[in-house]
Amino acid sequence: MDDRRVRSPGAAFLIAQLGGHSARRWIERLAKAGLEPREVMLFRHVAVNQGRSQREVADAIGLPQSRIVALVDGLEAKGWIRRQPSASDRRTNALHLTRKGQAALTKIMAVSAEHEADLTRGLEAGELDQLIKLLGKVAGVQDLIEGVHPGFGDANADQTQQTGDR
Amino acid sequence: MDDRRVRSPGAAFLIAQLGGHSARRWIERLAKAGLEPREVMLFRHVAVNQGRSQREVADAIGLPQSRIVALVDGLEAKGWIRRQPSASDRRTNALHLTRKGQAALTKIMAVSAEHEADLTRGLEAGELDQLIKLLGKVAGVQDLIEGVHPGFGDANADQTQQTGDR
DNA sequence: TATTGTTATACTCTATAACTATA
DNA sequence: TATAGTTATAGAGTATAACAATA
């Protein structure tokens, strides 16, 4: 069996491998800081889009409404966001960041910055710029930059490695 | 709230985003060809490391032995691999590729090649080389090239997006 | 006594479908 | 009648622990 063809990495594999690694490390860092990835995902969305209803948030991040409930419960229990009952439509809750939430956001950004620095520590400044430029180019062609959210509702789309190992 | 810091992409996010995208697209392509990612993962490992026991394979790809069983059952039912009972130790099965498996492997490689071409279609040849070089450099620092297998036993380590959306 | 392959159990996560209150 | 939020249910996927055969 001619190993070479089976093992050859290629950009697609490298990206998938590194992407999985990046996501995993980021989650580890969050965990150390007592943060859960899904909460963080929703929390950041609320932070950037304050005042949206749970329904709107659910649609935006591609999660069923039913899952939002527990997530919001948790974030509210932590005191990071609050459900603001709407006066005009008493069925809806507008989600807002609290003061405590601002602090949490700062912490999350710090964690992300650490993560970024760690992941790119092997590159010089110029190389990093190059890399970001090239990745951006790929992302652009893949219609990824604009819509941004990968979807990822499918937890089983795990970062399956595509190479011959070892 | 100063959006900019919250939204800023950064290499780590870009990589995670593209990595998720790459993995997802690859899985889609496999599905079209009637292939299941987990099967393919195990199958490719067997192809490159023929004759290993189920236990060895399980350890290598970081899955519990119990999960290997059903996977091997499926691949054997397809006629791609076979359980070769060991003469020296009658507890173990050595896993081998069949002739039919060779053909399947060819098909899988074709799918992967298509995927590679599609993902990198936005780049010129020189840029692609550059990208691979830079990614390789990052991967090297992250101790990823050598051990290769990302682990990924945790299906919940989904490629959680790390950005402010939209 | 330890180990390989296997099966069974118990648990987590998830989407889907009811349900209520408002509109 | 339709929609927002919520709760309940039922299914898939998983690891862990038991099990039988062999070492």
Side-chain angles (χ1 to χ4, degrees):
Chain A
M1 165 104 333
D2 54 336
D3 283 9
R4 247 188 348 179
R5 292 221 316 277
V6 187
R7 299 186 177 197
S8 77
F13 162 69
L14 267 174
I15 288 174
Q17 185 192 31
L18 273 173
H21 177 76
S22 174
R24 215 172 308 114
R25 293 287 292 244
W26 186 63
I27 289 172
E28 285 172 14
R29 279 182 194 280
L30 289 179
K32 271 187 211 158
L35 303 168
E36 211 196 331
R38 281 166 306 220
E39 278 186 344
V40 172
M41 171 182 67
L42 190 148
F43 177 61
R44 291 180 69 146
H45 182 83
V46 171
V48 181
N49 309 279
Q50 296 210 42
R52 291 197 174 173
S53 70
Q54 298 186 192
R55 162 81 200 294
E56 286 170 324
V57 171
D59 286 353
I61 65 181
L63 252 42
Q65 295 173 282
S66 51
R67 280 188 67 185
I68 300 294
V69 179
L71 251 17
V72 171
D73 285 350
L75 289 172
E76 207 171 28
K78 284 186 177 182
W80 293 1
I81 68 175
R82 68 173 200 281
R83 287 176 162 102
Q84 178 90 298
S86 162
S88 57
D89 183 343
R90 285 186 305 178
R91 293 174 302 180
T92 71
N93 302 322
L95 301 179
H96 286 278
L97 227 62
T98 63
R99 193 166 311 256
K100 204 169 169 185
Q102 308 263 2
L105 186 60
T106 302
K107 184 171 187 179
I108 289 171
M109 287 192 298
V111 170
S112 293
E114 271 178 41
H115 171 59
E116 169 82 10
D118 180 43
L119 195 82
T120 62
R121 71 180 191 273
L123 301 177
E124 294 163 24
E127 292 176 319
L128 181 54
D129 290 345
Q130 263 290 330
L131 177 59
I132 291 178
K133 200 187 90 187
L134 291 170
L135 290 175
K137 206 163 177 182
V138 173
V141 173
Q142 300 292 320
D143 294 330
L144 221 46
I145 280 297
E146 207 50 61
V148 166
H149 194 281
F152 110 91
D154 180 14
N156 258 24
D158 32 15
Q159 42 277 13
T160 305
Q161 51 122 186
Q162 307 172 33
T163 194
D165 332 329
R166 129 96 60 75
Chain B
M1 166 103 336
D2 56 335
D3 283 9
R4 248 183 351 169
R5 293 222 316 277
V6 187
R7 299 187 179 199
S8 77
F13 163 69
L14 265 175
I15 288 174
Q17 184 192 30
L18 272 174
H21 177 76
S22 175
R24 215 171 308 114
R25 293 286 293 244
W26 187 64
I27 289 170
E28 285 172 14
R29 278 183 194 279
L30 289 180
K32 271 187 210 160
L35 303 169
E36 211 196 330
R38 281 166 307 219
E39 279 185 342
V40 171
M41 171 182 68
L42 191 149
F43 177 61
R44 291 181 70 148
H45 182 83
V46 171
V48 181
N49 308 279
Q50 296 208 42
R52 291 197 175 174
S53 71
Q54 298 185 194
R55 162 79 202 293
E56 286 170 325
V57 171
D59 286 353
I61 65 183
L63 252 42
Q65 296 173 287
S66 52
R67 279 188 69 185
I68 301 293
V69 179
L71 251 17
V72 172
D73 284 351
L75 289 173
E76 207 171 29
K78 284 187 177 182
W80 293 1
I81 68 175
R82 67 172 199 280
R83 287 176 161 102
Q84 178 91 295
S86 163
S88 58
D89 183 344
R90 284 186 306 178
R91 292 173 302 179
T92 69
N93 302 322
L95 301 179
H96 286 280
L97 226 62
T98 63
R99 194 166 311 255
K100 203 169 169 186
Q102 307 262 2
L105 187 61
T106 302
K107 184 172 188 179
I108 288 170
M109 287 192 299
V111 170
S112 293
E114 273 178 41
H115 171 60
E116 169 82 11
D118 179 43
L119 195 83
T120 61
R121 70 180 191 275
L123 302 178
E124 294 163 24
E127 291 177 318
L128 180 54
D129 290 345
Q130 263 290 330
L131 178 59
I132 291 178
K133 199 188 90 186
L134 291 170
L135 290 175
K137 205 163 177 181
V138 172
V141 173
Q142 300 291 320
D143 293 330
L144 221 45
I145 279 297
E146 207 51 61
V148 166
H149 194 282
F152 112 89
D154 180 14
N156 259 27
D158 33 12
Q159 42 277 12
T160 305
Q161 49 122 189
Q162 309 172 33
T163 194
D165 331 330
R166 124 102 56 79

